[in-house]
Amino acid sequence: MTTRILHTADLAIAADLLRQGELVAFPTETVYGLGANALNEAAVRRVYEVKGRPTDNPMIVHVHSCQQARELMQVVPDFFSELTNEFWPGPLTLIVKHNAAVPDVVTAGLDTVALRIPDLRVTRDLLRLANIPLAAPSANISGRPSPTTAEQVFNDLNGRISAVLDGGPCPLGIESTVLDLTSAEPTILRPGTVTREDLEDVTQSRVYFAETNSDRPLSPGMKYRHYAPRAELKIIPWNDLVESMLRDTCTAVRQHVEAGRRVGLMAPDSFRGCGETHWYSLGAGLAVDYARLLYAGMRELDEAGAEVILCPGIEAEGIGLAVMNRLLKAGEIQ
Ligand code: AMP
Ligand code: MG
């Protein structure tokens, strides 16, 4: 199979392929998704195969409207309307009880399903044209960093999927916030760019974080190591003094270089020039810059041949919390 690269003018082709049960990767505002007709069991099963994704890790179902979401739900939980009014389309995935329309293979046998409306014009046009819900995990080989360009999808999945729809680089760059609405308290299973504070403002309720180290993770995906580059990733612990972050980073770079390793430094522009072998800019270093560039940086430094990637941490507040969650899943503190 050769994987076709489709453009926004080819939406009808992409929609037809999906309706026929083929796999098509598509852009969203978060990362590229590997889409399949969520109502077609065989198609969804192929997504797990192609990605090498553990079959106990359920998928997010993407829809074009709240009405289409409701058609998959058993009951509409508290806060659903308030949250969707404010955040849909957008990077917020809601976990709700599903009805019999949703095949087990999508949800890994759970009685809940993850739903969202993505906020990219081309994606919503595709969802409307196809007029089927699309099950779509990130369009990478399992364990690799999520792709934020069509080219990265192609590099991972060429020959294994029918097509990739090229909609340019993803504007946000990290995966959606996952919020469980099925328990008494709204609970964040995965942090993202919709923050706890954003959710509390809208629900006027406390919002909780799931215990990440509990024996029974609420979100099956949380138990897997994710998003990792091939190189070892070392994170310089954050503190609020820029000078000391710079000093710590340069010290770590030098230590690894002296140990004879090819060091990739992925950091805000002001950190450039510590003696690193390879450099990747995280722009001005705001949390949104980290989010947008993080995965592309891991992939680029891998390709450049870095053996260790160093990255200064940021404050784990707001969007920074989601960024640090992804960094710590991909690597460890230096
Ligand atoms: P991905 O699409 O690869 O970014 O992963 C989707 C995330 O949502 C994973 O962490 C899944 O475990 C999680 N998820 C999907 N469906 C459910 C569900 N029904 N209940 C809890 N978590 C879910
Ligand atoms: Mg993923």
Side-chain angles (χ1 to χ4, degrees), residues 51 53 137-140 146 175 190 226-227:
K51 276 185 56 98
R53 184 179 176 96
S138 48
N140 51 295
S146 299
E175 303 83 351
R190 175 175 74 186
H226 263 299
Y227 328 115

Side-chain angles (χ1 to χ4, degrees), residues 92 101 112 115 134 150 163 168 219 236 245 248 259-260 268 287 299-300 321-322:
L92 176 66
T112 56
L115 297 172
L134 296 179
S219 180
I236 316 298
M245 284 293 295
D248 293 350
R299 283 177 180 261
E300 189 162 304
L321 182 75

Side-chain angles (χ1 to χ4, degrees), residues 178-195:
V178 177
L179 182 71
D180 183 1
L181 291 182
T182 63
S183 60
E185 293 120 4
T187 304
I188 295 172
L189 306 185
R190 175 175 74 186
T193 50
V194 174
T195 65

Side-chain angles (χ1 to χ4, degrees), residues 21-318:
E22 301 283 323
L23 306 192
V24 177
F26 60 82
T28 77
E29 80 280 34
T30 61
V31 302
Y32 272 72
L34 175 54
N37 179 353
L39 307 178
N40 177 331
E41 279 193 47
V44 175
R45 210 168 290 119
R46 291 231 26 247
V47 174
Y48 288 100
E49 277 167 31
V50 157
K51 276 185 56 98
R53 184 179 176 96
T55 50
D56 64 351
N57 192 6
M59 294 178 195
I60 296 174
V61 176
H62 298 73
V63 292
H64 60 62
S65 62
C66 283
Q67 178 52 33
Q68 196 183 27
R70 282 168 193 257
E71 284 165 16
L72 305 173
M73 292 161 58
Q74 195 185 93
V75 281
V76 178
D78 286 350
F79 307 121
F80 183 84
S81 301
E82 292 92 322
L83 288 168
T84 55
N85 280 340
E86 182 67 25
F87 297 113
W88 279 11
L92 176 66
T93 295
L94 297 174
I95 307 291
V96 302
K97 295 256 194 245
H98 69 75
N99 64 22
V102 181
D104 274 350
V105 61
V106 172
T107 67
L110 298 174
D111 61 355
T112 56
V113 65
L115 297 172
R116 89 175 181 104
I117 305 181
D119 183 20
L120 209 56
R121 175 74 188 274
V122 61
T123 322
R124 290 167 69 203
D125 288 347
L126 174 68
L127 280 160
R128 254 186 247 111
L129 264 180
N131 201 27
I132 41 173
L134 296 179
S138 48
N140 51 295
I141 299 284
S142 229
R144 298 270 295 139
S146 299
T148 54
T149 65
E151 191 189 353
Q152 292 163 10
V153 176
F154 192 81
N155 289 342
D156 271 19
L157 299 177
N158 179 25
R160 303 195 201 193
I161 61 174
S162 294
V164 49
L165 176 62
D166 188 351
C170 302
L172 297 179
I174 59 170
E175 303 83 351
S176 58
T177 304
V178 177
L179 182 71
D180 183 1
L181 291 182
T182 63
S183 60
E185 293 120 4
T187 304
I188 295 172
L189 306 185
R190 175 175 74 186
T193 50
V194 174
T195 65
R196 171 196 222 162
E197 296 74 31
D198 296 335
L199 295 167
E200 289 186 335
D201 276 352
V202 169
T203 55
Q204 291 294 305
S205 151
R206 278 212 60 186
V207 170
Y208 296 81
F209 280 106
E211 288 273 346
T212 45
N213 52 3
S214 83
D215 290 344
R216 194 188 62 85
L218 288 173
S219 180
M222 293 200 315
K223 67 176 183 249
Y224 295 107
R225 185 164 183 265
H226 263 299
Y227 328 115
R230 283 188 271 268
E232 210 179 316
L233 174 66
K234 298 278 190 185
I235 301 138
I236 316 298
W238 177 80
N239 73 61
D240 61 359
L241 287 174
V242 184
E243 293 76 28
S244 87
M245 284 293 295
L246 256 171
R247 205 174 40 241
D248 293 350
T249 304
C250 281
T251 304
V253 168
R254 264 184 246 113
Q255 272 170 4
H256 287 284
V257 168
E258 277 161 21
R261 308 180 82 192
R262 285 192 299 276
V263 177
L265 177 59
M266 176 164 88
D269 289 330
S270 56
F271 285 68
R272 187 166 193 172
C274 284
E276 63 274 9
T277 330
H278 304 287
W279 162 255
Y280 186 87
S281 165
L282 294 177
L286 299 175
V288 287
D289 300 318
Y290 267 74
R292 191 176 71 255
L293 298 167
L294 200 58
Y295 291 139
M298 292 180 196
R299 283 177 180 261
E300 189 162 304
L301 290 172
D302 263 347
E303 255 141 56
E307 292 162 293
V308 56
I309 298 175
L310 293 173
C311 180
I314 55 173
E315 188 176 13
E317 278 292 318

